[in-house]
Amino acid sequence: MQKQMQPADLLLGRKTFEIFKAFWPNHVDIWPSVNDVTKYVLSNTLEKSDWQNCVFLKSIADIEKLKRSAGADLHIWGSSKLIRELLQRNLVDEFWLNIHPIILGKGKKLFDESAMPAAFTLVESTATPSGVIMAHYKRSGEVRTGEVTL
């Protein structure tokens, strides 16, 4: 988990931003750099915040421009709708997938029919004592289909 919380700028959808803003500014003991990093927020309704270092983006084109610029890595937490939009436009270079051993109804689909085919390689994985599997994947080139090798 600590690797996921390394210093990097954050890219958040509006709903996740509002959840983060209500919790993280007062919990820097858990995530010391969260107030200092830039929080990029994709929102059609929000334009400013009293939480420091927030930048509001209006479109995926703004994210594409940001991705092409020099600067810190961008980490997305939650924001399932935003992630699906980025996957659809082939804008995801790597991701951490945290699999929790619970079922809460239908849930949200991370990978739906709009996602562009993409190949990723497992970089590292770990299982926590509570059974959460944390898997880190990076982009690995062209999609290859075939048999599963063990």
Side-chain angles (χ1 to χ4, degrees):
M1 185 69 158
Q2 291 302 318
K3 287 183 180 183
Q4 295 178 45
M5 298 171 90
Q6 292 294 321
D9 290 341
L10 300 177
L11 176 59
L12 305 167
R14 182 194 50 82
K15 289 179 186 177
T16 301
F17 171 75
E18 289 177 345
I19 293 167
F20 271 43
K21 187 180 104 171
F23 180 83
W24 284 114
N26 300 313
H27 292 88
V28 293
D29 55 315
I30 301 169
W31 190 353
S33 64
V34 72
N35 287 331
D36 299 327
V37 300
T38 302
K39 277 85 57 189
Y40 294 98
V41 183
L42 182 65
S43 175
N44 292 319
T45 57
L46 297 176
E47 295 181 356
K48 63 180 181 171
S49 173
D50 56 355
W51 192 13
Q52 66 193 55
N53 301 322
C54 294
V55 175
F56 292 89
L57 307 173
K58 293 293 182 193
S59 69
I60 297 294
D62 292 338
I63 295 171
E64 290 173 324
K65 185 177 176 182
L66 181 62
K67 190 174 183 312
R68 288 190 302 268
S69 68
D73 286 345
L74 294 172
H75 289 187
I76 301 174
W77 286 78
S79 305
S80 60
K81 184 177 175 183
L82 173 57
I83 291 171
R84 285 193 302 273
E85 290 282 331
L86 297 176
L87 286 167
Q88 184 178 3
R89 289 167 175 79
N90 206 23
L91 294 172
V92 177
D93 299 322
E94 64 182 275
F95 61 90
W96 284 88
L97 187 59
N98 296 339
I99 304 164
H100 296 261
I102 58 174
I103 298 172
L104 298 173
K106 292 162 92 175
K108 295 179 182 178
K109 290 183 179 180
L110 179 58
F111 308 108
D112 64 11
E113 61 280 345
S114 67
M116 296 292 293
F120 290 85
T121 298
L122 181 64
V123 176
E124 63 181 300
S125 64
T126 188
T128 69
S130 64
V132 176
I133 298 170
M134 295 185 286
H136 179 199
Y137 294 90
K138 284 192 177 188
R139 182 64 67 123
S140 64
E142 296 297 315
V143 173
R144 290 180 280 163
T145 59
E147 297 180 13
V148 174
T149 55
L150 301 174

